[in-house]
Amino acid sequence: MRKPVDDPAGLRNLFLFESLDEEQLTWLSRASTTTTFAPGAVYREGESAKDFYVLIDGEIVLTHRSEGEEIVLARTEQTGTYAGAWDCYLRDAAEKTYGVSMYAARQSTLLVADAREFASMVRAWCPMAVHLLEGYFFGNRQARGILARRERVAALGSLAAGLTHELNNPAAAAKSATLALSKHLAGMMSTLQAVTENRSTSVDLNPVLRLCHDAIQALRESLELKPLQETDRLDAIEEWLLDHGVVDDADLMSALARAGIDTEWLARTAYTTEPEIFGHVVRWIGHTVQAQLLIGEIKESTSRICELVASARLYARPDEVSSLADLHALLDSTLVMLRSRIGDRISVIREYDRTLPKIPCHAADLNQVWTNIIVNAIAAMQDGGTLTLRTGRDESYARVEISDTGPGIPAKIREKIFEPFFTTKSSDSGTGLGLSISAQIVADIHGDISVKSSPGDTCFIVRIPLHHFNPDIDIADYSISPRDG
């Protein structure tokens, strides 16, 4: 029940207003009501911050939602306790939504002031204090932004070196394969010329072309050939060809073996092919098979380069506004960027819930969160181990777990790891901002981050809303909480 303030002077009993003069009390009373609330929600976290509340009588509970639970921040009967849009006078620095929920634990009476009117009062009555507070808020915000950008640039610079190494490998392989392909194409032309210039017989190239086609088809079907089988076949081919004085090129012999060609095939081909051109035909088939293999290597290398570039673009994509993103694509792009750091000593396990929908977020920011957590996990597994990425659904949240098998985080340190500038690394290898920035990024999208750790099993848990934050949640019992106090 809302009622007008009928005794402005009585507001001086609230410590917040004890120094106001009569004119100020009159202004405050006109902009406010005294409202009696039945036990239950007064306002909920995430709702538009429209009012400023001061407890006159009763008991209130302030809570914050974390990991799917309502955590009690405060429970008080103290007259004059205030909450709600308390920072509305800071203009652009003010929160646009309530950062916590308020519940009346029993029937309670509160002074309710319109946030815009209350902001006007404070700015008119305390201009110097407001300027100082704005400087504090804006200065902190700017400092956090500068530090976050610095951390991100430093991370990207570090990752760029690894990405360069990752790109160099397939690029070098593609270049090498291209040079070799040029050689084999020239070999194909020279052997074809040798066949067509043979003067002792009229040459029908159709059977030769069929042999090439069959060899390429056999190559596709024999790519799963075991190394020992391939070695045995190569030895037999080498012995047969040398006995018949045909080919002494080890690369071509290897290509024939990979194509599934054996001594029986060679014997049949020799029987159906003019003796004068048999050696050239074998060489032509060998060059053709080699060319096909090299084309496969070039395709694989260029596909790898495209994958790396796509991952880099997804990883570092700037988002001015929140957009829907594939959580698993973001995790995978981060793993790609960190592949050189992960190396062979750490095995990676992905356990993804593919039913998760795309989530609203700033993709580049979330990638910074994954990077900070995974880099710490890698550092914790100096002698190798297992990195596990697991996703799932947790009520209206997407849940991401990133685990490592390192030595664990001691309990006394665990409480501090999300604090700015806290680090266990040397000053030249860590700023202590990574997890602090990660926590802020996750909080900005109304998610939460926590850690559980024991020797051999450290798990960071990040929960992100599946949809744009909806404050309309039900509390089964607002007056009792297992975490009260």
Side-chain angles (χ1 to χ4, degrees):
M1 178 185 298
R2 289 178 177 264
K3 297 190 300 183
V5 178
D6 52 13
D7 181 18
L11 293 177
R12 285 202 181 99
N13 294 325
L14 304 174
F15 64 83
L16 196 61
F17 308 129
E18 60 187 6
S19 299
L20 299 186
D21 59 32
E22 290 185 8
E23 182 180 355
Q24 291 169 332
L25 287 173
T26 300
W27 187 0
L28 176 61
S29 62
R30 287 175 179 172
S32 307
T33 62
T34 55
T35 305
T36 300
F37 293 88
V42 176
Y43 62 80
R44 295 185 189 274
E45 179 181 348
E47 291 178 341
S48 179
K50 297 179 179 178
D51 295 306
F52 176 74
Y53 298 84
V54 184
L55 179 62
I56 297 174
D57 179 60
E59 182 180 6
I60 58 172
V61 179
L62 299 178
T63 69
H64 176 64
R65 193 167 178 83
S66 177
E67 296 189 42
E69 298 182 57
E70 286 292 301
I71 310 301
V72 173
L73 304 177
R75 179 191 293 271
T76 182
E77 299 176 343
Q78 176 66 50
T79 298
T81 300
Y82 57 90
W86 64 270
D87 60 351
C88 55
Y89 51 85
L90 295 177
R91 293 182 181 173
D92 293 338
E95 294 293 334
K96 306 304 181 191
T97 58
Y98 295 120
V100 299
S101 297
M102 177 193 283
Y103 300 92
R106 53 188 171 86
Q107 182 168 296
S108 303
T109 301
L110 293 97
L111 179 76
V112 183
D114 178 81
R116 287 175 295 183
E117 279 293 317
F118 185 71
S120 298
M121 297 176 203
V122 175
R123 297 187 72 84
W125 300 339
C126 313
M128 179 181 291
V130 170
H131 283 307
L132 290 172
L133 285 170
E134 282 185 333
Y136 173 78
F137 273 87
F138 283 117
N140 270 354
R141 177 183 291 181
Q142 184 178 18
R144 286 199 306 269
I146 291 171
L147 292 172
R149 287 192 295 273
R150 181 189 180 281
E151 184 77 6
R152 186 171 179 183
V153 169
L156 285 173
S158 176
L159 292 174
L163 180 62
T164 301
H165 175 75
E166 288 288 317
L167 285 169
N168 183 67
N169 288 340
K175 179 180 178 181
S176 176
T178 302
L179 294 174
L181 178 61
S182 177
K183 167 191 168 184
H184 286 289
L185 289 176
M188 290 171 63
M189 292 300 296
S190 64
T191 52
L192 178 61
Q193 184 177 10
V195 169
T196 56
E197 288 180 351
N198 190 285
R199 301 296 186 182
S200 60
T201 182
S202 59
V203 179
D204 181 5
L205 291 180
N206 286 325
V208 178
L209 295 174
R210 282 195 297 271
L211 288 172
C212 286
H213 178 272
D214 293 344
I216 292 173
Q217 186 62 35
L219 173 65
R220 297 193 182 104
E221 296 172 357
S222 65
L223 288 178
E224 299 301 322
L225 198 65
K226 295 180 179 179
L228 186 58
Q229 292 174 315
E230 186 175 326
T231 299
D232 291 342
R233 180 174 292 177
L234 177 59
D235 290 342
I237 290 174
E238 183 178 2
E239 183 178 353
W240 192 96
L241 290 174
L242 291 176
D243 288 345
H244 290 74
V246 179
V247 177
D248 58 359
D249 188 318
D251 288 340
L252 292 182
M253 292 180 186
S254 177
L256 295 174
R258 291 193 62 182
I261 291 173
D262 54 22
T263 54
E264 292 183 8
W265 186 92
L266 289 171
R268 287 197 307 272
T269 302
Y271 180 77
T272 58
T273 306
E274 298 292 339
E276 294 83 356
I277 65 170
F278 175 66
H280 298 308
V281 169
V282 172
R283 289 186 180 86
W284 189 14
I285 294 173
H287 285 304
T288 302
V289 171
Q290 277 282 46
Q292 192 70 23
L293 290 169
L294 291 167
I295 289 172
E297 290 182 18
I298 293 171
K299 181 179 179 180
E300 181 179 346
S301 296
T302 52
S303 296
R304 175 69 181 138
I305 291 172
C306 291
E307 176 193 348
L308 288 167
V309 171
S311 295
R313 289 180 62 187
L314 178 59
Y315 180 89
R317 183 182 64 194
D319 312 79
E320 293 300 327
V321 295
S322 176
S323 59
L324 292 176
D326 183 337
L327 186 60
H328 302 127
L330 300 184
L331 289 167
D332 287 340
S333 70
T334 304
L335 288 174
V336 169
M337 295 294 288
L338 293 171
R339 184 170 296 169
S340 63
R341 288 197 186 189
I342 294 171
D344 298 328
R345 60 189 175 84
I346 296 175
S347 58
V348 178
I349 297 175
R350 297 175 176 89
E351 297 178 0
Y352 290 165
D353 179 358
R354 296 293 183 180
T355 66
L356 286 176
K358 292 183 176 181
I359 59 172
C361 66
H362 290 81
D365 287 346
L366 269 190
N367 280 334
Q368 187 175 2
V369 174
W370 312 141
T371 299
N372 291 334
I373 296 174
I374 294 174
V375 164
N376 285 342
I378 295 170
M381 296 186 286
Q382 292 293 332
D383 298 324
T386 301
L387 177 69
T388 302
L389 281 70
R390 185 180 295 109
T391 64
R393 188 185 296 263
D394 188 353
E395 297 181 349
S396 60
Y397 291 80
R399 180 185 179 96
V400 178
E401 298 180 6
I402 301 177
S403 305
D404 68 70
T405 55
I409 305 171
K412 62 180 180 180
I413 294 178
R414 209 177 306 154
E415 300 175 357
K416 303 178 181 179
I417 60 174
F418 294 112
E419 296 178 4
F421 303 108
F422 178 80
T423 180
T424 58
K425 302 175 184 177
S426 61
S427 60
D428 60 346
S429 60
T431 63
L433 291 171
L435 291 178
S436 171
I437 290 171
S438 297
Q440 185 61 51
I441 289 171
V442 174
D444 286 345
I445 56 175
H446 302 286
D448 52 66
I449 182 172
S450 59
V451 61
K452 298 177 181 178
S453 184
S454 60
D457 182 19
T458 295
C459 180
F460 281 84
I461 303 162
V462 180
R463 296 169 71 253
I464 305 163
L466 289 169
H467 310 288
H468 287 289
F469 186 72
N470 180 4
D472 189 17
I473 55 176
D474 293 326
I475 306 300
D477 186 352
Y478 48 80
S479 62
I480 301 174
S481 171
R483 299 196 185 186
D484 188 3

